[in-house]
Amino acid sequence: MFVRKHVTSLTPVLLSAVLLTAGCAAHDDEPGPGTGSEGASAAPHGHVEGATEAAEQQSRLLLGDRATGETRVLDLVTGKVHETARRAGVTGLTTDGRYGYFHGADGIHVLDSGAWTVDHGDHVHYYRAKIQEAGELPGGTGTSVRSDAGVTVVTDARGRAGVHPRSGSAKGTPVRLPGSYAGAVVPYAEHLIALTRDGGGPARVVVLDRSGKRVASPASECGDPRGDAVTRRGIVLGCADGALLVHEDDGVFTAEKIPYGEDVPEEERATGFRHRPGSTALTAPAGKNAVWVLDVTQHAWTRVETGHVIAANTAGEGAPLVVLENDGALHGYDMSSGKETAVTDALLKDVPKAATGGTTAPVIEIDRSRAYLNDPSGKRVYEIDYNDGLRVARTFDLDVRPSLMVETGR
């Protein structure tokens, strides 16, 4: 059990011209179509056909205007804005780090941002390529998309899931998984992680192979599952009493509960996680005036008291918790002490309106050095140096209202 103070610590994607996988020597140097073994041996380490390897991260922002359907890609390296196809009726935008998924009532349009990272643990490859349309996926209201290097899984609002090849566009025949699942089916460790529920009881984790065959059922219970995230430590699944961490080690899957430590009202649960890809620090609103930080490594929840939360994110250990509050300003908090460490001038003028009435609230995207905040009414995006007192490093003026935003290339 914990006592609430200002902060409380509880201890206890698709569609690619070349299939990227975790084995650098076996796959990054794989020859492209029409090349023989001689060409493969001549290719430099990390070579990917049709892409240029870079020395630094090639970040890009995918932007969408829900009202007009206009879309743009903002190259954060060059500062150039690329105009992309209009998509009427778009209701949401997600990403797997390279591909942007523009969700609509009748399907999902996929855009290849042309920027991505391959992390091999001891070294990293950064790539940039041409921005291009990448096809369509089935979808509709409530559909989720989750990807890894090999497959993209589309789960509809009824829990029915299809596994699509991540290379070769959307032309491949998907594998339809049997039955239905309680939430998104998530690719992980060359398998699929899903939650099943028998009757009205709590959901339980099942591990499937890529054909949909059940291969493991680690002991687990997850009441009212909502929210998921992929981290270096495994898959985090949001549950009524905390989170489940599903981890694979040498082919063995385990599921471990990370409890809040006391009863948490439904409206204060963590149900949607935000974090820097690769980080093991997850954030989620804890009601209106606080933010949960889940340290996956330490298996500990921290509740940071804030002002009225509109959006939150963090780069992880050593970085501040960055929170957009309803005063239109960004606030920085020390995640250990809960102390406010920095605050900006009001950057967004109509945050309460933007976050209500069925419109899409602004978001904070974050990487290893910068954070990005979209300002729909101002038709701009702010680049924030969160390691320098939340200094506004750059402002990108746009010709569209960026009500939807994701970052790729990370």
Side-chain angles (χ1 to χ4, degrees):
M1 180 177 298
F2 62 83
V3 178
R4 292 196 181 187
K5 299 179 181 178
H6 188 68
V7 58
T8 305
S9 295
L10 312 183
T11 61
V13 145
L14 179 87
L15 327 181
S16 171
V18 177
L19 178 61
L20 299 176
T21 62
C24 194
H27 298 279
D28 279 355
D29 299 330
E30 186 173 311
T35 62
S37 58
E38 181 179 348
S41 61
H45 175 72
H47 174 73
V48 173
E49 192 73 24
T52 300
E53 186 167 8
E56 61 181 11
Q57 184 172 289
Q58 302 297 294
S59 297
R60 291 172 177 173
L61 295 178
L62 276 58
L63 307 166
D65 185 334
R66 285 188 60 180
T68 66
E70 297 290 335
T71 66
R72 300 288 186 270
V73 178
L74 170 58
D75 190 319
L76 295 169
V77 176
T78 66
K80 182 178 180 181
V81 178
H82 301 264
E83 184 173 345
T84 46
R86 184 175 179 272
R87 298 179 178 87
V90 63
T91 58
L93 174 60
T94 58
T95 186
D96 61 9
R98 174 176 180 175
Y99 296 96
Y101 301 97
F102 290 86
H103 297 250
D106 300 321
I108 300 169
H109 187 88
V110 187
L111 178 69
D112 183 353
S113 74
W116 71 98
T117 295
V118 179
D119 187 350
H120 294 291
D122 60 344
H123 68 286
V124 177
H125 295 282
Y126 303 110
Y127 298 99
R128 64 184 294 122
K130 182 173 67 174
I131 300 166
Q132 56 187 338
E133 305 299 322
E136 303 285 333
L137 285 171
T141 302
T143 298
S144 63
V145 179
R146 304 289 187 269
S147 298
D148 68 3
V151 298
T152 293
V153 183
V154 179
T155 310
D156 68 18
R158 296 172 60 183
R160 299 170 301 184
V163 182
H164 300 253
R166 194 168 184 258
S167 64
S169 187
K171 299 175 182 178
T173 302
V175 174
R176 300 295 179 186
L177 300 183
S180 62
Y181 301 92
V185 176
V186 184
Y188 170 66
E190 301 184 4
H191 289 75
L192 307 173
I193 305 301
L195 286 164
T196 61
R197 181 186 287 113
D198 295 326
R204 299 178 184 278
V205 172
V206 294
V207 181
L208 313 174
D209 66 16
R210 295 299 167 95
S211 69
K213 178 182 177 182
R214 185 179 299 193
V215 296
S217 301
S220 61
E221 286 191 355
C222 184
D224 190 22
R226 282 185 281 172
D228 60 86
V230 179
T231 76
R232 288 181 179 274
R233 301 288 180 176
I235 304 294
V236 174
L237 305 171
C239 308
D241 57 352
L244 268 182
L245 175 63
V246 182
H247 175 69
E248 181 269 343
D249 184 16
D250 198 23
V252 177
F253 289 83
T254 58
E256 183 177 358
K257 181 62 66 70
I258 307 177
Y260 290 121
E262 72 165 25
D263 290 338
V264 172
E266 182 178 359
E267 64 272 15
E268 296 182 8
R269 284 180 48 196
T271 59
F273 298 105
R274 304 279 298 178
H275 71 303
R276 176 182 61 80
S279 169
T280 55
L282 310 183
T283 67
K288 292 183 179 180
N289 299 304
V291 174
W292 287 115
V293 178
L294 173 58
D295 186 328
V296 180
T297 302
Q298 298 298 322
H299 292 194
W301 291 93
T302 299
R303 180 187 170 98
V304 179
E305 303 292 339
T306 65
H308 189 122
V309 179
I310 304 300
N313 211 334
T314 183
E317 183 179 359
L321 170 65
V322 182
V323 182
L324 173 67
E325 300 182 10
N326 69 345
D327 59 0
L330 287 175
H331 298 251
Y333 294 89
D334 182 282
M335 290 187 292
S336 297
S337 68
K339 179 182 177 181
E340 184 176 85
T341 57
V343 62
T344 68
D345 294 332
L347 300 178
L348 276 61
K349 305 302 181 183
D350 60 351
V351 172
K353 180 180 178 181
T356 59
T359 60
T360 303
V363 297
I364 300 169
E365 290 288 320
I366 205 160
D367 57 36
R368 291 185 179 276
S369 62
R370 294 291 189 268
Y372 298 91
L373 173 68
N374 55 325
D375 178 7
S377 63
K379 292 186 177 181
R380 61 176 67 93
V381 170
Y382 293 103
E383 180 182 75
I384 306 297
D385 185 347
Y386 55 80
N387 288 315
D388 188 16
L390 302 182
R391 176 178 59 88
V392 177
R394 290 188 291 180
T395 300
F396 299 97
D397 294 314
L398 305 165
D399 62 345
V400 298
R401 297 168 63 94
S403 53
L404 303 170
M405 180 179 76
V406 295
E407 183 179 356
T408 65
R410 298 179 294 184

